[in-house]
Amino acid sequence: MDIQTDPSFEPRTQRPPPPPTYSDQSNSQVLKEWESVMATEIKRCGEALQRHRCRRVCHKYGNDDQCRFQFPHEVVETSYYDADTKSVVHRCLDGNVNYFNPHVLVFCRHNHDLKCILSGKAAKAAMFYITDYITKSDLKTHEMLSLL
């Protein structure tokens, strides 16, 4: 399905489309229309909110040659579990789009990045990121920990 996107589309200023009512869920035509509306909204919101475009912030901290957010991602045809790294590798058909949940995208209308973080370095990095984000201190968590 090829859906043209409008570069001026701002999903954060609009409400998501209302889902079919419970009584309409037995009507196959209503459900087909809803699937079409959802596909269009996923594409429009995805282009507006999930597509990465490198900016100055991507190259700070000495990352002049590559995006510090690791874009573009590797293109992966199907999701799989990598036993060597003990990680889940998500399907990725476009290396410049964040991993996202289509329902969260359409109904919450914000950018997000889904990752499977079970343990190890990724979990530790996520813990530091969340702690830094919540506390918004002038000192970063890793700087504070080095003082101990």
Side-chain angles (χ1 to χ4, degrees):
M1 172 181 0
D2 188 28
I3 299 169
Q4 297 299 319
T5 56
D6 176 5
S8 65
F9 175 65
E10 179 46 70
R12 293 179 200 103
T13 62
Q14 301 173 14
R15 291 192 172 275
T21 62
Y22 182 75
S23 61
D24 288 337
Q25 290 181 10
S26 60
N27 184 331
S28 63
Q29 182 60 32
V30 169
L31 293 179
K32 284 181 184 175
E33 288 172 12
W34 171 246
E35 287 174 9
S36 175
V37 167
M38 276 298 287
T40 301
E41 282 297 301
I42 291 166
K43 176 70 173 169
R44 293 176 72 209
C45 290
E47 286 296 327
L49 301 170
Q50 295 298 117
R51 180 165 299 282
H52 180 76
R53 292 165 188 87
C54 272
R55 298 183 176 101
R56 268 190 12 215
V57 71
C58 298
H59 301 286
K60 67 183 191 178
Y61 307 125
N63 291 318
D64 295 330
D65 297 337
Q66 65 184 25
C67 176
R68 72 183 178 111
F69 301 111
Q70 300 173 345
F71 280 96
H73 296 302
E74 179 184 351
V75 173
V76 177
E77 293 296 321
T78 55
S79 299
Y80 65 92
Y81 176 74
D82 184 347
D84 294 336
T85 61
K86 296 183 175 132
S87 61
V88 175
V89 179
H90 289 284
R91 174 181 161 192
C92 175
L93 301 178
D94 186 332
N96 285 311
V97 175
N98 264 337
Y99 306 110
F100 67 93
N101 177 294
H103 296 95
V104 170
L105 177 64
V106 170
F107 291 108
C108 294
R109 300 177 102 65
H110 63 80
N111 68 315
H112 59 282
D113 186 2
L114 294 181
K115 285 194 172 56
C116 182
I117 302 174
L118 301 174
S119 62
K121 286 174 65 176
K124 186 176 179 182
M127 178 188 68
F128 283 137
Y129 174 81
I130 292 167
T131 302
D132 285 344
Y133 191 84
I134 291 171
T135 58
K136 292 281 187 178
S137 173
D138 288 337
L139 284 176
K140 299 293 178 201
T141 304
H142 68 274
E143 293 170 337
M144 284 189 258
L145 291 175
S146 69
L147 297 174
L148 297 176

